[in-house]
Amino acid sequence: YPLENLDMKLIVNWLAGFGDIILHTCGVVGDGKGYCFSGPAGIGKSTLAAALQKNHNLTVLGEDQVILRYLDGRFWAFGTPWHDSPAMCSAQGVPLEKLFFLERNTKPSIIPLTPVDGTARILQNAFIPYYRQELLGGILERLEMLSIKVPVFSLSYALGTDPWQAILE
């Protein structure tokens, strides 16, 4: 199906021209700030988004993909139209406060990541048009800036518990 997901492919390529990306992440809004939780399929992004929405009345930008853009000197997170649950999708954009990479099989913790580790993890979870070699340098520069300007963490918590207070601290 060569035209499958054509809309997303077009947006990925358009964003890449600015050095911006779509990240395989869920995003929520709390007090006008964006918090993103990234990781591979099945790690619990949608589960966490639903719990934060229910328990804290947070707006969910997207439970599976969020657009990350650098605008007016800061990084922003925007909801996307690609979602499994329409109740967990908002086109709203907010300044990105923190970015977390979800972990399992470790004790509950929030561990700061270095910019190099943050960039490596973003590369593993981002939709990047690697076939557009002329854009890769700009994307990599932007990702390096992202991992320096936005705090990036590894987050592990027990399913069924509420990590929101720890996330805010």
Side-chain angles (χ1 to χ4, degrees), residues 117-140:
D117 288 336
T119 300
R121 298 238 187 146
I122 292 167
L123 285 169
Q124 293 169 1
N125 291 287
F127 297 90
I128 296 174
Y130 290 105
Y131 48 85
R132 304 273 315 270
Q133 292 181 3
E134 73 279 10
L135 301 177
L136 293 180
I139 293 169
L140 291 174

Side-chain angles (χ1 to χ4, degrees), residues 2 10 18 23 26 40-42 50 80 86 107 111 118 123 126 128 136 154:
L10 290 171
F18 300 101
L23 191 60
C26 76
T80 68
K107 66 180 184 171
I111 301 169
L123 285 169
I128 296 174
L136 293 180
S154 169

Side-chain angles (χ1 to χ4, degrees), residues 1-9:
Y1 304 101
L3 298 180
E4 185 176 13
N5 299 319
L6 181 60
D7 55 346
M8 187 171 178
K9 291 173 185 172

Side-chain angles (χ1 to χ4, degrees), residues 69-130:
R69 300 211 59 202
Y70 187 70
L71 302 168
D72 300 324
R74 65 187 313 179
F75 284 91
W76 288 72
F78 292 89
T80 68
W82 308 290
H83 50 80
D84 293 324
S85 170
M88 292 200 302
C89 178
S90 169
Q92 180 178 354
V94 293
L96 181 60
E97 184 74 10
K98 295 179 183 177
L99 174 59
F100 297 88
F101 289 92
L102 297 178
E103 304 285 343
R104 289 285 171 250
N105 302 322
T106 62
K107 66 180 184 171
S109 61
I110 296 179
I111 301 169
L113 297 177
T114 66
V116 170
D117 288 336
T119 300
R121 298 238 187 146
I122 292 167
L123 285 169
Q124 293 169 1
N125 291 287
F127 297 90
I128 296 174
Y130 290 105

